[in-house]
Amino acid sequence: MHLPRQLGPLHDLPATPEAYDAVLADVVAQALARLTPEGNLEHPDADDDIGDTSLGFTSLLALAWQRSKDPRLPEAVRRSLAFHLRERVYTEDNPGYPNLTVRGSGLPYARYVLEAGAHPIGDWPSTVWALLQAVNILDLADGLVDDEQRAELVEVSHGYWRWLTEATCFNPQEAGNQAIGCVVGGLMLARHLPPGQEEPVRARALALYRDRIRAHRVLDRGALLPPEHGGAYDNNYGPISLSFLAQAHRISGAEMFAEDGDALARYLDARLTSGGFDNGGPRYSEQHSGFESVLGLRYFGARIGSDLGRYRGDTNWGRHAVKPDGGVDGHFAWMLVWQIQDTTPWHRNPSAGPARHQLRADSVSVAFDSRMTPSLVEAGGTYYLPAAVNRQHGFGPVLDGFLYCRPMGEVRVRDVRAGGLSAKLVSKPVVGRDHVLRHVRSLYVTDGTRLWVTVAAERLDGTPYLLAGLPYAADDGDRVRRVAEGEVASAGALRLTHPAAQGTDCFDARAGLTQEQAAFALAADPRGYGDPDEGWRHLVTSTAYEAEPAPGAPENLHVFAVRYGPGGDFTPSFEGDLTVRTEAFTAVIGAEDARGEPALALAAR
């Protein structure tokens, strides 16, 4: 089976003016065929996330007219805009909406579901989206709409902004992408307001970002990030937040948006595999955005000098939102408008310098979590997740069901490159159940095709093994395929184990289940509202590679040595306090220096 949404890298989609004109031509053809006598452009199957969709379609038609001057479009724009202003602007409170701070305000808002009281919780983001569609049309309105219709759109847009910032709680879903989107809407709206109204809206937008978003960023892997649905990052919504930060910087020039976008971009670059696979987040563990991410990945990829476009997005949504039948939806259309307007080229080369939470070379990558334990390993086209044993998750030595990977003290990291090899040494103090402090040293070396992992710890009593990952997925052209094994070799005996028990808290990679589905099954709240990462933490056991200690290690150490990716026999040798020799390199892990930093020397063979 294939993962349903992680498809091709987003930078593989053509981004030339001609390609975008072809996209808009298809949008125009669908719009002219769909436009009802009333001016409605909504997809016939639209139900939820609907309050902005016809208006989004209108904005795309306005952009198409500005680029093509197609004579059929002015009338379609005016009719569809009139439909939204007449039929999709609500001023009576939605029954059951829980986040109002002013009741009966009479201010306009957009509905997530059109039926009164049906699903009011989504009205705040739907109003953000409607505001963004509206300000895009205002930007593109010259020569398309008359003064009366334009004035009405300005009034409604200002009303949307006031409803979002005066009549409701700000950012009620704790969703960074929605909150930053609201700020962008205010910044864009300000440019269309009469003198005297412009500056207060702009100042309020900047203050909301500074005081309600930036001041509440969450720390993860050394980076401060806008919180997303209660978590630090989400692999669907995080790149969308990056796009909003790009637009905020483009239109305001405020340096804080660039600084925060750079930080989020470097964080994403470090957690993203070379192949573009990513996993994790508080809302959707595997659902990926498509065109909504392009602006941010392209804009900040160029700023930080890295190939963020390798991100495997949902290329079914590679150009615009669509329904299952492939028809244009209109939802999130502002992102397509912005990415067409922005001419930043894709940066297609990896960043040159090492990153603390990443080891990457060519087709091999290791992403590390905040504890400097691998969160995702890629080698030989296969992706490995942290395995689970006895409710503990990670990569590391295991003795009597205890996993030695959680640090009790400072984690030291050393990066070295030599002779076409890249290496990272991670040294961490770990306390076992016996309360004994042990130093676990993990060496990761790659030549861009294979990954060698050597883990050394003070000798453990009993029969330990190395928990060496859960084989989960592999590249398959423009798809990602579920797998249950990979190319792994070990100096000691190697076994691939599967859970003996059955249940939602046991993940067997051979089963027809994705990590996303399993994580939501373990989450406390329903799918779409629960936190799958929190649910996944309840996993008791999983499929796992287990490697026994390598023979020939120094007497005072247990050493585990594993190679991921293609290769022949694997017979490393070990000497001294620790010299590691393999078929590809010699590494010397020396004593700590005067500052306690570990020493590492590396030479290709």
Side-chain angles (χ1 to χ4, degrees):
M1 61 180 291
H2 288 99
L3 300 185
R5 299 184 182 91
Q6 294 205 39
L7 306 174
L10 289 175
H11 64 198
D12 286 353
L13 292 169
T16 62
E18 294 77 14
Y20 282 133
D21 284 338
V23 171
L24 290 174
D26 175 60
V27 169
V28 167
Q30 291 195 46
L32 296 178
R34 181 186 299 173
L35 186 66
T36 68
E38 297 78 21
N40 189 355
L41 283 169
E42 291 162 1
H43 192 284
D45 295 336
D47 179 42
D48 56 15
D49 256 330
I50 192 174
D52 71 302
T53 60
S54 184
L55 195 61
F57 223 135
T58 304
S59 73
L60 293 175
L61 297 184
L63 178 62
W65 185 80
Q66 294 291 353
R67 293 169 69 90
S68 70
K69 295 298 187 285
D70 185 331
R72 300 172 297 173
L73 296 181
E75 176 63 19
V77 168
R78 288 191 286 269
R79 282 174 54 196
S80 58
L81 178 56
F83 167 81
H84 179 86
L85 294 171
R86 185 180 66 250
E87 303 290 345
R88 294 296 180 258
V89 178
Y90 296 85
T91 56
E92 295 182 358
D93 294 350
N94 200 351
Y97 186 71
N99 298 314
L100 291 175
T101 58
V102 178
R103 296 199 175 273
S105 68
L107 292 171
Y109 67 94
R111 286 186 176 174
Y112 178 75
V113 174
L114 300 181
E115 181 184 351
H119 194 350
I121 196 68
D123 288 356
W124 200 86
S126 288
T127 303
V128 174
W129 308 155
L131 171 61
L132 291 169
Q133 312 285 25
V135 292
N136 267 348
I137 292 172
L138 289 173
D139 280 353
L140 298 164
D142 287 348
L144 276 175
V145 299
D146 58 34
D147 291 345
E148 182 179 354
Q149 198 174 40
R150 184 187 184 282
E152 185 179 359
L153 183 59
V154 170
E155 183 180 359
V156 167
S157 300
H158 197 187
Y160 284 156
W161 169 254
R162 293 188 58 204
W163 187 87
L164 291 165
T165 59
E166 298 175 18
T168 70
C169 301
F170 181 76
N171 190 21
Q173 295 183 23
E174 296 183 65
N177 75 96
Q178 297 173 9
I180 305 171
C182 180
V183 168
V184 171
L187 293 172
M188 295 182 69
L189 169 66
R191 303 182 301 182
H192 298 283
L193 294 176
Q197 296 183 25
E198 173 183 359
E199 186 52 35
V201 170
R202 174 182 164 84
R204 174 69 168 151
L206 293 173
L208 283 170
Y209 182 78
R210 184 179 59 249
D211 301 334
R212 301 295 299 275
I213 302 172
R214 197 179 205 212
H216 297 279
R217 287 174 296 167
V218 179
L219 183 67
D220 187 43
R221 306 187 195 192
L224 285 170
L225 308 171
E228 187 54 65
H229 288 285
Y233 174 83
D234 184 277
N235 68 346
N236 180 25
Y237 293 113
I240 297 176
S241 286
L242 196 63
S243 287
F244 282 130
L245 287 169
Q247 181 67 359
H249 185 244
R250 288 180 67 231
I251 62 174
S252 74
E255 192 60 25
M256 61 181 174
F257 297 119
E259 292 172 357
D260 295 354
D262 288 350
L264 177 54
R266 291 191 179 97
Y267 169 89
L268 192 156
D269 189 32
R271 69 175 289 147
L272 194 61
T273 59
S274 293
F277 177 82
D278 189 18
N279 167 271
R283 283 296 294 270
Y284 298 99
S285 284
E286 287 171 358
Q287 178 170 326
H288 270 46
S289 49
F291 75 101
E292 316 102 289
S293 302
V294 166
L295 175 66
L297 296 172
R298 198 170 64 193
Y299 189 84
F300 284 105
R303 280 186 58 90
I304 70 169
S306 191
D307 55 338
L308 295 184
R310 69 187 189 275
Y311 178 92
R312 282 185 179 268
D314 184 349
T315 50
N316 289 324
W317 274 35
R319 298 303 195 182
H320 42 64
V322 298
K323 289 298 184 183
D325 65 359
V328 177
D329 183 295
H331 185 48
F332 267 47
W334 67 85
M335 286 292 194
L336 178 57
V337 173
W338 298 343
Q339 67 169 273
I340 292 175
Q341 292 172 333
D342 179 63
T343 56
T344 304
W346 283 112
H347 185 98
R348 297 182 179 274
N349 299 317
S351 54
R356 178 178 174 88
H357 292 90
Q358 179 193 60
L359 175 67
R360 180 185 174 200
D362 297 332
S363 63
V364 172
S365 57
V366 184
F368 296 87
D369 63 18
S370 293
R371 306 178 306 187
M372 288 305 296
T373 296
S375 61
L376 193 56
V377 171
E378 171 194 21
T382 299
Y383 302 103
Y384 303 84
L385 304 178
V389 58
N390 197 25
R391 298 186 184 276
Q392 303 158 94
H393 301 192
F395 289 73
V398 177
L399 178 64
D400 297 332
F402 184 85
L403 173 59
Y404 291 82
C405 75
R406 296 171 297 280
M408 181 62 70
E410 188 70 16
V411 179
R412 311 296 183 113
V413 178
R414 175 64 58 89
D415 285 278
V416 173
R417 294 180 179 178
L421 300 169
S422 300
K424 186 183 293 288
L425 174 64
V426 177
S427 177
K428 64 175 75 172
V430 177
V431 174
R433 285 206 175 100
D434 56 6
H435 290 209
V436 174
L437 183 71
R438 294 177 173 84
H439 281 80
V440 176
R441 294 173 293 173
S442 302
L443 174 65
Y444 306 85
V445 181
T446 180
D447 61 358
T449 302
R450 298 163 292 180
L451 173 69
W452 293 265
V453 178
T454 306
V455 179
E458 287 93 345
R459 182 164 285 274
L460 299 159
D461 296 330
T463 55
Y465 65 88
L466 180 73
L467 193 66
L470 157 64
Y472 177 66
D475 291 339
D476 187 12
D478 285 342
R479 304 294 301 273
V480 178
R481 176 173 45 86
R482 280 280 286 108
V483 297
E485 60 183 351
E487 290 185 275
V488 182
S490 172
L494 180 71
R495 54 187 174 267
L496 178 61
T497 65
H498 303 285
Q502 294 183 345
T504 56
D505 56 2
C506 302
F507 188 79
D508 191 327
R510 299 170 299 181
L513 194 68
T514 67
Q515 189 269 349
E516 176 188 14
Q517 293 168 324
F520 268 117
L522 291 167
D525 296 309
R527 177 181 173 81
Y529 300 92
D531 181 344
D533 280 1
E534 181 183 357
W536 188 251
R537 284 192 283 271
H538 293 295
L539 192 70
V540 174
T541 184
S542 74
T543 293
Y545 275 108
E546 299 176 357
E548 294 187 1
E555 291 184 0
N556 63 325
L557 296 175
H558 267 125
V559 177
F560 307 88
V562 175
R563 186 188 64 207
Y564 301 84
D569 293 339
F570 181 50
T571 56
S573 62
F574 313 94
E575 303 168 6
D577 188 45
L578 190 61
T579 298
V580 182
R581 301 183 191 277
T582 73
E583 71 277 21
F585 64 87
T586 298
V588 180
I589 303 174
E592 296 173 347
D593 63 18
R595 295 178 298 141
E597 298 293 338
L600 175 62
L602 179 68
R605 298 185 65 182

